[in-house]
Amino acid sequence: MQSLRTVRSRILLGTCLSLAAALPGTAFASDIVGTVTDASDTRALQSAQVRIIELNRETEAGRDGSFRFGDVPAGTYTLEARYVGAEPRTETVTVSDSGNVTVRLVLGTDGTILVLGQSANMTSALSRQKAADGVESVLTRDAVGQFPDQNVAESLRRLPGINILNDQGEGRFVSVRGLDPELNATSVNGVRLPAPESDIRSVALDVISSDSIESIEVKKSLTPDMDADTIGASIEINTTSAFERRKNLLTAKIEGSYNDYSEKLTPKGSIDFSQRLGDNVGVSGGVSYYQRKFETDNIEADGWNEDDGLIFPEEVNYRDYDVERKRFSANLNFDVRVGSSTNLYARGVYSQFDDQEYRRETSLKLEDAGTITANGATGVDFSDEDGEIKIQRSLKDRFERQRIRSLVLGGDTEADGWHARYSVSFAKSTERENGSIDPANFEQKFEGDGLVIGLDTTDPRRPLYSVGGAAGAAADFYDPSEYELDSIQVTTLSDSRDREWGARFDLGREFATDGGSFTIQAGAKGRWRKKSYNLETVYWENDDLTMADLVGDQTYRLIDISPVLDKKGVRRFFNANRDIFELNEFDSTLDSILDDYSVTEDVVAGYLLGRWDSSTLRVIGGVRYEHTKNDIRANTVLTVEEGGELPDGTTADDDTIASVTPNRFQRSYGDWLPSLTIRWEPQQNLVLRAAGYKSLVRPKLSKLAPHFTIEQNDDDEREGDFGNPDLKPYRAWNFDAGIEYYLPAGGALSAGVFYKDIKDFIVDTNIEEPGVYQGIAYDEATIPINGDSAKVWGLELSYQQALRFLPSPLDGLLVQANYTYTDATGKVPIDGDITDLRKIDLPAASKHTFNVALGYEKGPVSLRLAGTYRSKYLDELGDDAPEDRMIDNHFQLDLSAKYDVTKRFQVFYEWVNINNAKYYAYNNVGARQNLLQYEQYKWTMKFGARVKF
């Protein structure tokens, strides 16, 4: 089989080379090389389109504004440069029989500002979008390092088809076209970023400070020279390069952030620089620090049931969060020109994210309540008569640190029609906890004591409780001395590591013809990855310890949840009195071995493509092959409850870990991934695109890991929780088509459609019938499996424009609006039966995403009011449709303002979440919305100053 593939590759390569040799041509002489810059000579204009009118040849300016036409016949030609928002510029050049011709093209000589402010962000992004091979959306900063918003995540919300999923009110993960963030891939400077978290592949967007980012490109279609491991989009983050600028830059920013809930003011600061060390050497980089303190009020419920029309939960939790997050980010970049044909670079990124979370919680455990009755139209009463109500008061004191490092060394060379790109890279991500209390639980049980808990669901998003019944029971509910310690769980180590080495080489040859140029390009890339997770946790107990000496003050605002634990007092007491606690060996040992795993993933790829370029038509077609190899290791763990039968036939005298068996699975597979991309520009401001390609997304490494857990009860019934080392990757055929019209005054109208046919998407399935998996018998089990196929289709519409044609002072207005419709559906088994399927919307797939921003920019003033909306989406599958976890729709309004006091000094202000948008998750048991999770954060204001030296 391998030899057949080799023969096919050689035949294809030979055919392309023969075609290239047969292309018509002339006796060529010289190259035309040059740069495109703005009239202020501040910044290179990346993606400006440069055309030789007489030869119908076109190219785009690179990051440093440079361009090159190779093998140009002797003669006189007209060069034309175009950039969105600027008047075209033409210049006549004469090419001799030998030697290169150098030319500098300057745009914006009519006074148009191309490199500063909101309009510069817009025109730069649109120019890159217009020049792109495929379908993409772009976010760029201006010449002094400003994004449209202070936060990159909030800026990305504004792009077509983009939605940001929040964590504690902060935008972190990117959803493209309504799809799960796991279906995206993220790179920094061309290096795929591994994920710090132990159980996902997706990377949080705030991995790098916005002050260090030059641009973010969201590539929604693929060409053969790109990694094929995405179905949503390839998100490519680029840090700065000194060659992007014509002038040196040094800016400093200091900022304060105030959250209305926490009433805390916290700092942020950054330094950003770019320095030319001569004509051929440059260095750029920056550092930033951000501390944020905020609070969240949360309510969660679970176990919703319906009984004779009465709908009620088995558990309700009231959680009071106090969170402090610190972010430190640094990057350093070196660029060197070697002669006129070679550029070399080194780019390094370091990011550290510290998350200190205190969570005080009051939990109502109502599952075993004796009597459950309606109380009016919206109330439910739970009594401990003939049953039990358990109240739990707990504290989580967790400190978590994430680190991401990335280093890439590379370059590109162009000479005599040949071009080569090459790089080696290393990236490492870690997430570590060491000493977190997660959690400390104190409990009180009411059994026949006359306690009645009332639950009022007048506001279904915020069910509130009341305490009644016997006076003594009600008094005990609020008495901290009645709550005894259940356990203190200490995470002595939670260590997630993800490392990846990479190397790539691309080589192409361009052949000029009478009507354009044809390029043959081939390349290879290797990525060698290892991800591991190790958890060590310890449970400590003391039956004589109560809450009495550990009570603190709540900051919860939705209801009185006292008494609560002191957020720092539990750790102080535990550390000072360690000797009074007893170790729970069973739980400590069990939890320390269940989730450990190690996975290696080696991906070796090669591709071959052909590319035709003219001033109106670009066609890129070819095929990519990716070979994946995995070595996966974890444990099989069998536990037997007291009274159950052990493997040797004896009866367990206590809860017992009966066996721990190491597992190892190895596998490999390959994928042929063809693609075709067409870009047609029938007139200068009109671009039509079409793309078809095959791609894949590999399973989560934590899902692949063969950690098999079997819990056997005293009736010898077995419940299993399994990983699946046989999971196939998602594989998809993708099709995109779009039309873009670029408006003369600087703006664009665009419309696009997309379709994706996804095979083998992955879902967790609950099996409630006895069976055998990997040779292990079970009575019921949870196993991730490959589902059937999923279909995704949708529509993207976008309009953005600087309204310069309006009379003053309205000529400073800017408008951006976009809408995305996504229909993403698939089928999943019911109760694990693959022959009995139900239709679902794919997880994280919002049908509707809408963004609108109204800006104003004139003189020293810059204002921007932006709103973003996404509709509800499926978050997690339940056993049946009513139990599915849904996330409610979200609309958020933000305001930003900037004022240039002088050319070098700017003050700014930002108001985030003006409308106090909340987070709400629910299910539909009983044909109504039932709370699963509710959070509110209030608004945050930021203000500060930026200085340019």
Side-chain angles (χ1 to χ4, degrees), residues 125 129 132 134-139 156 159-162 216-220 234 796:
Q129 174 184 303
V135 179
E136 69 177 64
S137 299
V138 184
L139 177 71
L156 266 183
L159 294 179
I162 305 297
I216 302 179
E217 301 171 355
V218 182
K219 297 187 176 181
K220 303 172 186 176
S234 177
E796 289 181 347

Side-chain angles (χ1 to χ4, degrees), residues 300-305 311-316 364-367 372 380 382 455 457 463 928 930-931:
E300 299 189 20
D302 197 12
W304 286 91
N305 296 291
I311 302 171
F312 56 90
E314 295 178 353
E315 181 175 338
V316 186
L364 313 177
K365 312 285 187 177
L366 308 170
E367 180 179 4
I372 303 174
V380 181
F382 300 83
L455 197 64
T457 59
R928 74 173 199 188
N930 304 296
L931 166 82

Side-chain angles (χ1 to χ4, degrees), residues 837-859:
L837 305 176
R838 67 180 174 99
K839 187 176 181 180
I840 63 165
D841 291 328
L842 294 187
S846 294
K847 281 191 178 295
H848 306 282
T849 305
F850 178 71
N851 301 290
V852 62
L854 179 64
Y856 184 82
E857 188 172 64
K858 191 163 187 177

Side-chain angles (χ1 to χ4, degrees), residues 7-67:
V7 170
R8 285 192 298 193
S9 299
R10 289 174 176 172
I11 292 173
L12 181 59
L13 177 60
T15 302
C16 292
L17 292 174
S18 300
L19 176 61
L23 290 171
T26 317
F28 301 121
S30 303
D31 291 355
I32 299 176
V33 296
T35 58
V36 185
T37 63
D38 75 296
S40 67
D41 199 27
T42 299
R43 186 175 181 178
L45 297 181
Q46 180 178 346
S47 294
Q49 294 175 277
V50 184
R51 180 167 66 116
I52 304 177
I53 295 177
E54 291 80 4
L55 297 180
N56 198 33
R57 293 178 61 184
E58 185 171 289
T59 191
E60 290 83 39
R63 290 189 68 174
D64 59 355
S66 66
F67 65 89

Side-chain angles (χ1 to χ4, degrees), residues 729-731 758-763 785-790 825-828 840 842-843:
Y730 299 74
R731 292 184 172 96
I758 306 172
K759 304 293 186 185
D760 297 320
F761 71 92
I762 297 168
V763 295
I785 66 169
N786 290 105
D788 194 20
S789 64
T825 59
K827 294 181 179 180
V828 297
I840 63 165
L842 294 187

Side-chain angles (χ1 to χ4, degrees), residues 236-283:
E236 302 189 3
I237 302 171
N238 300 301
T239 57
T240 58
S241 165
F243 289 165
E244 294 166 347
R245 303 184 51 82
R246 303 283 294 181
K247 297 179 181 178
N248 294 330
L249 173 72
L250 176 60
T251 64
K253 184 174 73 172
I254 187 168
E255 177 181 323
S257 177
Y258 177 83
N259 178 253
D260 185 48
Y261 236 21
S262 67
E263 299 181 346
K264 299 286 179 61
L265 180 65
T266 51
K268 180 180 179 181
S270 66
I271 296 175
D272 184 26
F273 72 93
S274 177
Q275 180 76 35
R276 291 284 191 105
L277 307 176
D279 293 336
N280 296 316
V281 180
V283 59

Side-chain angles (χ1 to χ4, degrees), residues 710-926:
I710 307 95
E711 297 180 0
Q712 181 177 314
N713 64 20
D714 55 3
D715 292 326
D716 294 328
E717 295 172 333
R718 288 182 155 204
E719 181 178 346
D721 190 355
F722 300 98
N724 187 350
D726 296 322
L727 282 174
K728 301 174 185 176
Y730 299 74
R731 292 184 172 96
W733 280 101
N734 310 266
F735 302 94
D736 287 86
I739 181 170
E740 302 158 10
Y741 179 69
Y742 292 86
L743 302 167
L749 278 166
S750 65
V753 294
F754 55 90
Y755 175 80
K756 300 175 183 292
D757 184 2
I758 306 172
K759 304 293 186 185
D760 297 320
F761 71 92
I762 297 168
V763 295
D764 288 329
T765 181
N766 297 318
I767 303 173
E768 297 184 357
E769 297 294 332
V772 177
Y773 179 74
Q774 297 288 346
I776 301 171
Y778 61 82
D779 293 285
E780 56 183 67
T782 299
I783 307 173
I785 66 169
N786 290 105
D788 194 20
S789 64
K791 310 291 184 184
V792 181
W793 67 273
L795 169 71
E796 289 181 347
L797 302 173
S798 176
Y799 166 66
Q800 48 190 314
Q801 187 172 19
L803 306 181
R804 297 172 184 156
F805 54 84
L806 294 176
S808 180
L810 299 179
D811 56 348
L813 288 171
L814 302 94
V815 178
Q816 292 179 290
N818 59 73
Y819 167 76
T820 302
Y821 174 81
T822 301
D823 185 279
T825 59
K827 294 181 179 180
V828 297
I830 298 175
D831 294 334
D833 184 356
I834 61 174
T835 65
D836 187 11
L837 305 176
R838 67 180 174 99
K839 187 176 181 180
I840 63 165
D841 291 328
L842 294 187
S846 294
K847 281 191 178 295
H848 306 282
T849 305
F850 178 71
N851 301 290
V852 62
L854 179 64
Y856 184 82
E857 188 172 64
K858 191 163 187 177
V861 177
S862 177
L863 304 171
R864 181 183 175 94
L865 179 65
T868 180
Y869 170 84
R870 59 137 183 86
S871 61
K872 67 181 181 180
Y873 64 84
L874 172 66
D875 187 41
E876 295 177 4
L877 288 172
D879 290 338
D880 52 30
E883 295 184 4
D884 289 346
R885 178 185 172 96
M886 305 296 298
I887 307 298
D888 200 21
N889 55 55
H890 178 94
F891 175 73
Q892 181 172 317
L893 201 61
D894 305 319
L895 173 71
S896 63
K898 301 170 186 174
Y899 183 80
D900 295 326
V901 180
T902 69
K903 288 185 177 180
R904 295 185 178 275
F905 183 75
Q906 179 192 78
V907 293
F908 58 84
Y909 166 82
E910 186 173 1
W911 189 5
V912 180
N913 196 20
I914 297 172
N915 57 321
N916 188 23
K918 304 167 183 67
Y919 178 93
Y920 176 52
Y922 62 91
N923 67 21
N924 290 287
V925 171

Side-chain angles (χ1 to χ4, degrees), residues 460-568:
R461 295 184 172 216
R462 301 194 304 174
L464 304 179
Y465 72 87
S466 59
V467 181
D476 288 345
F477 180 93
Y478 293 106
D479 185 354
S481 66
E482 295 295 326
Y483 289 86
E484 299 177 352
L485 178 68
D486 177 60
S487 67
I488 296 178
Q489 181 182 358
V490 179
T491 302
T492 56
L493 179 66
S494 174
D495 187 11
S496 172
R497 303 185 183 190
D498 202 348
R499 294 136 288 183
E500 182 170 298
W501 291 90
R504 70 174 297 169
F505 182 77
D506 304 89
L507 182 65
R509 178 69 164 91
E510 181 182 15
F511 299 89
T513 73
D514 293 336
S517 64
F518 180 74
T519 300
I520 297 175
Q521 183 174 311
K525 183 174 184 179
R527 293 160 52 197
W528 299 273
R529 182 177 189 177
K530 181 177 182 180
K531 189 175 184 77
S532 61
Y533 180 61
N534 178 33
L535 175 65
E536 297 176 11
T537 189
V538 180
Y539 289 82
W540 297 97
E541 299 175 350
N542 182 336
D543 295 338
D544 298 324
L545 182 64
T546 73
M547 280 184 64
D549 297 324
L550 299 172
V551 176
D553 298 321
Q554 67 166 337
T555 56
Y556 199 72
R557 296 162 180 83
L558 302 180
I559 193 174
D560 181 5
I561 61 170
S562 61
V564 297
L565 291 159
D566 184 275
K567 66 181 184 181
K568 295 183 179 180

